[in-house]
């Protein structure tokens, strides 16, 4: 693989430090520039300031939860264009997943995924 011409920045918003370390570390070693936030308000601030290429967003977080954060990011001009991927332990029905994708998110990845598999999925989503 040739050098990536421009680093791809991924913002991981998750209140679980173990998840940030495990998956964030794997993505970083795969060549992505990682940004982290442990709550939704921080996450939105970092998204506005840093304009990441992709946001990985946990759903079950202390207020505001991931749904609220996604809705706010999409409702704000500065962050509306950034793709959001829910990264979660929730299981959605196909209907719910379709609804979410139409409303706010680009994709949905279950946390049972292996770190290597996550790297593959992210590459697929951002077309790298």
């Amino acid at each position: 693989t040739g050098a990536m011409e421009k680093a791809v920045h991924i913002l991981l918003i998750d209140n679980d430090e173990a998840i940030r370390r495990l998956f964030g570390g794997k993505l970083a070693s795969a060549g992505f520039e990682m940004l982290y936030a442990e709550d939704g308000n921080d996450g939105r601030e970092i998204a506005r300031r840093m304009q990441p290429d992709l946001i990985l967003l946990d759903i079950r977080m202390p207020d505001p939860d991931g749904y609220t954060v996604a809705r706010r990011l999409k409702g704000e001009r500065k962050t509306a264009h950034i793709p959001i991927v829910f990264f979660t332990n929730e299981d959605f029905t196909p209907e719910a997943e379709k609804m979410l994708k139409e409303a706010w998110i680009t994709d949905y990845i279950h946390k049972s995924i292996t770190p290597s598999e996550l790297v593959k999925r992210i590459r697929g989503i951002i077309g790298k």
Side-chain angles (χ1 to χ4, degrees), residues 39-97:
D39 71 63
N41 293 331
D42 256 11
R44 286 174 53 219
E45 185 51 47
I46 293 170
R48 279 196 293 268
R49 215 172 50 236
M50 306 296 291
Q51 295 288 307
D53 300 285
L54 182 78
I55 295 172
L56 272 179
L57 176 59
D58 184 25
I59 294 178
R60 281 184 186 254
M61 293 188 290
D63 194 45
D65 67 8
Y67 297 114
T68 307
V69 176
R71 196 167 55 234
R72 288 178 183 160
L73 285 163
K74 287 298 173 194
E76 206 173 315
R77 199 177 47 80
K78 287 183 94 164
T79 51
H81 63 284
I82 305 170
I84 297 173
V85 174
F86 271 155
F87 185 46
T88 178
N89 286 314
E90 312 284 292
D91 286 301
F92 292 123
T93 62
E95 297 76 35
E97 195 174 332

Side-chain angles (χ1 to χ4, degrees), residues 10 19-20 32 35 48 66 73 77 88 100 127:
I10 296 175
I19 291 283
R20 293 198 306 270
F32 294 105
L35 303 160
R48 279 196 293 268
L73 285 163
R77 199 177 47 80
T88 178
L100 285 169

